[in-house]
Amino acid sequence: MARKRGFPEFPLFLLFILVAGLHLLACPFTKVEESFNLQAVHDVLYHRLDFEKYDHHEFPGVVPRTFLGPLFISALSTPMAGLLTLLEAPKFYMQIIARGVLGLCVCLTLWNMQKEVRRQFGSLVASLFCLISASQFHLMFYSTRMLPNVFALPVVLLAFTSWMAQRQGRFICFSAFVIIAFRSELCLLLGLMLLMSLLSRRLSIPQLFYYAVPAGILSLGLTVCVDSVFWKKLLWPEGQVLWRMRTLLLPTTGFILLYSLLPHKELRFIIYTFPVFNIVAARGCSFILNNYQKSWMYKIGSLVIMGHLVANGVYSSVSLYVSHHNYPGGKAMQELHALVPSTSDVSLHVDVLAAQTGVSRFLELNSKWRYDKREDLAPGDPLLKTYSHILMEANSTQISLLSDSHKPLIFIQGYEHIEINVSRIPPLSIKLNNKLVVLERLPHSQHT
């Protein structure tokens, strides 16, 4: 019966694509956490073998990250990059396309997981899994974000799907690759799953070594060879991260519990677990819906399930609207290119706040302009006054320090907070405030 009650498969796949695409188009800019992977994709697409121009040499970050993910996304995006170059379209379109390719990878692996859920639990559970996942804000929002966690997510989903299907060899290979190349902390989550397989005797110790040893050697060799070339030194990126996180390698509790001990917590750190919880939720929901006619309790439960999906959709809509206003740096770059003639002699300095809230190499649309993100210039520094334009925090004190050389061209607003007023419809509204300002040099400034 469950198989007959579910939704057709292909429309649900389109739902994943449409919802992820909606989140992408509503929030096309990125933040500082995505900086390495995004700039790496840009550099691979546009600088190719000219490694000296790569962004990570100037801004390496706290720990080195692997180029395997950016290389994969760049390879899939290259045809569109060539087409956009031929059409002389803005590079920013390529940022959206590259992020869309990453989102498509996530959607395809979610869809692959759905097929295994359908095989084991029926079409109703699979359909509910898709509806719950598509209506969740964080899963769909992060699916196109160029974060290390999201690059790892498709591989984790492939590993978990293999584990569900009891294909232990594939599970071990995917697990080895994603742990060694992308996120070393996944040894906690995937290691616990491996332990369950060993304890249930679905996997023997000889089988474990048979798959794990070659998979580990190949994965380690691949990341070391590739990343040593790009970083210009012998390097295993996740090895350095693993060394920094060595105190967390005693999985005495679950993956999420261990992450709860960290002072810095974000949902993206445990995004790999969302689809797993969604399967469990879908299984419970299908049980209630299948027993809808049996009692008034099941009828109420069915209404709660429908209400939950609606609430998910409402929350996702509000969160997406808030996020749309949370990238003033990207908005400022668009406004600057629209306001200043392309033939002008422009040298732009981008401060830290702007760089953290949407500015990327993909937004450097004019090849004749000079863009600079150096971080060693204070607001009153004389060298700062030599730039024709400055993109900086909208701080009145800092702006006044440059009043003898620059004037505000435009203020960029961003999200401040949510206001609730039950007397209005809708009762929620978004309060915006000036976050950034674009300063333009005075015509007769002595610093010209």
Side-chain angles (χ1 to χ4, degrees), residues 361-380:
R361 298 288 188 191
F362 284 100
L363 286 167
E364 297 177 359
L365 304 180
N366 195 320
S367 60
K368 297 180 181 179
W369 292 6
R370 184 166 64 90
Y371 304 87
D372 193 352
K373 295 189 300 179
R374 59 186 299 179
E375 301 175 359
D376 58 343
L377 299 180

Side-chain angles (χ1 to χ4, degrees), residues 66 102 127 131 134 136 140 159 175 257 272 292 309 331 336 414:
T66 182
L102 176 60
S127 300
L131 292 174
Q136 280 180 332
M140 291 292 99
S175 299
L257 179 59
Y272 328 103
Y292 172 80
L309 292 174
K331 181 67 175 176
L336 177 65

Side-chain angles (χ1 to χ4, degrees), residues 3 9 108-123 125-126 129 157-167 170 279:
R3 293 184 180 277
E9 288 192 61
L108 285 172
T109 49
L110 280 171
W111 186 245
N112 184 58
M113 175 180 280
Q114 173 272 151
K115 288 184 176 181
E116 183 60 29
V117 172
R118 188 177 295 266
R119 187 183 72 82
Q120 293 195 23
F121 303 112
S123 61
V125 178
F129 165 75
L157 294 178
L158 290 173
F160 185 79
T161 303
S162 301
W163 185 76
M164 285 181 62
Q166 298 189 31
R167 297 174 181 173
R170 293 183 59 181
I279 293 175

